[in-house]
Amino acid sequence: MSMRSEMERLITTALHCNPQQMDYGMVTGTSITFKHKFVSAPCIILTPLAASGTPTATVVSKDKDDDGYYTGATIAAAGCDSVDWIALGTGIGTSE
């Protein structure tokens, strides 16, 4: 089976089964890398952490690889030491 046919089969199976995946982590920079390859844009929840003040964090973009899978996100944060994140969506495998 060709690589393209195999990928199309995996996508069809994923969409049919709707395997919801949850990735999470902590970032101090502006780049998040997911553990799963998401078929469609995942919901990303950010929690900026700081000892004081009013920290903010927003999603700038949901990043795709060359095959069209969502594999990460770019964020902008201000007034915080780190950002906890959660990504929820339909995932088909690991990106590692």
Side-chain angles (χ1 to χ4, degrees):
M1 183 181 289
S2 73
M3 182 63 133
R4 181 176 175 93
S5 295
E6 178 68 15
M7 294 305 290
E8 289 172 350
R9 184 188 66 75
L10 288 172
I11 291 169
T12 301
T13 301
L15 293 173
H16 175 72
C17 298
N18 196 24
Q20 293 296 302
Q21 302 292 337
M22 179 179 75
D23 284 352
Y24 58 90
M26 187 271 303
V27 65
T28 56
T30 60
S31 182
I32 294 172
T33 302
F34 303 141
K35 296 175 190 83
H36 291 86
K37 292 182 178 183
F38 290 99
V39 174
S40 57
C43 174
I44 302 172
I45 302 166
L46 303 175
T47 304
L49 303 170
S52 62
T54 308
T56 61
T58 57
V59 176
V60 174
S61 66
K62 297 177 183 179
D63 307 325
K64 292 182 181 182
D65 64 9
D66 292 337
D67 295 323
Y69 296 110
Y70 289 88
T71 57
T74 302
I75 65 170
C80 58
D81 301 318
S82 63
V83 177
D84 285 348
W85 60 270
I86 298 172
L88 304 164
T90 303
I92 65 165
T94 61
S95 58
E96 298 175 340

